[in-house]
Amino acid sequence: MTGGIGSGKSTVAARLVERGAELIDTDAIARTLTLPGGAAIEAIRGAFGAVFIAADGALDRARMREAAFADAGARRRLEAILHPLIGAEVERRAATSRAAVTVLDIPLLVESGRWRGRVDRVWLVDCAESLQIDRVMARSGWTESAVRAVLSQQATRAARRAAADAVVDNEGIGLEQLGLEVDALWQQTIAA
């Protein structure tokens, strides 16, 4: 499963878990890797300096986000540290999954280019960019310019749609209708 920031991936993922899927969330893995004592902390400290590590020993996410979106080189250095660690953890969890369906929540599936060949199907959770902006501003308290900076680094809707086997349109519908849409796709998946 993929989709841009604020598209509703977490809501769809929760519904799939309710249906029996095992969820492997790459954003959650990245957060764990950058907690105090996390496997990526020392490499980040070495690559970026102690100023990017908060007083509690975790990654200063706000500072790193600002640096990564302002400087493509910084973003590539961070990705070079995190992506192999995330990939290894995804592989480990997928190999031990006992669920009939394992869902990989990979926001940057299209951008990375490495995951498409490793999954059976790609579900895209999609909505208009304006809705993404509104949702992220409401939930995270970010400014519009901060959300737009993230969006500018993500694949376009057209690129995501081209890579998708199924699209969950998460716009102009309530949670009940979204749930029905997800359930229909779930039934197709388990029937296959």
Side-chain angles (χ1 to χ4, degrees):
M1 181 175 61
T2 193
I5 189 170
S7 62
K9 292 181 306 298
S10 296
T11 303
V12 171
R15 185 71 171 216
L16 292 171
V17 168
E18 289 173 4
R19 297 296 171 261
E22 180 170 338
L23 177 66
I24 302 175
D25 182 339
T26 59
D27 277 350
I29 293 169
R31 284 189 296 276
T32 300
L33 292 170
T34 58
L35 288 174
I41 291 296
E42 289 311 312
I44 291 169
R45 185 187 321 271
F48 294 96
V51 69
F52 285 91
I53 306 301
D56 68 355
L59 173 67
D60 183 333
R61 295 180 70 78
R63 184 177 291 225
M64 183 57 77
R65 183 173 43 253
E66 184 178 309
F69 289 109
D71 176 4
R75 187 179 72 253
R76 284 190 296 273
R77 286 196 319 273
L78 180 62
E79 289 171 349
I81 294 167
L82 290 176
H83 287 187
L85 295 170
I86 293 167
E89 182 62 13
V90 168
E91 296 291 343
R92 186 191 70 74
R93 290 183 188 186
T96 60
S97 175
R98 298 197 187 286
V101 177
T102 301
V103 175
L104 307 181
D105 181 345
I106 307 174
L108 301 178
L109 183 140
V110 173
E111 295 86 341
S112 74
R114 73 179 277 210
W115 291 105
R116 183 58 180 110
R118 295 179 172 185
V119 298
D120 296 322
R121 292 183 186 88
V122 173
W123 284 19
L124 168 63
V125 182
D126 189 45
C127 67
E129 185 175 287
S130 60
L131 186 53
Q132 290 177 270
I133 293 167
D134 290 346
R135 286 176 177 167
V136 176
M137 288 174 61
R139 95 171 167 220
S140 302
W142 292 8
T143 65
E144 182 176 342
S145 62
V147 181
R148 286 189 183 282
V150 172
L151 288 169
S152 73
Q153 302 298 315
Q154 294 186 340
T156 64
R157 287 180 77 190
R160 282 195 189 101
R161 283 181 171 268
D165 298 306
V167 177
V168 177
D169 286 310
N170 189 16
E171 181 175 349
I173 60 173
L175 288 175
E176 184 177 336
Q177 183 60 37
L178 177 63
L180 293 173
E181 191 176 339
V182 172
D183 288 350
L185 284 171
W186 173 259
Q187 290 302 320
Q188 291 172 13
T189 298
I190 61 173

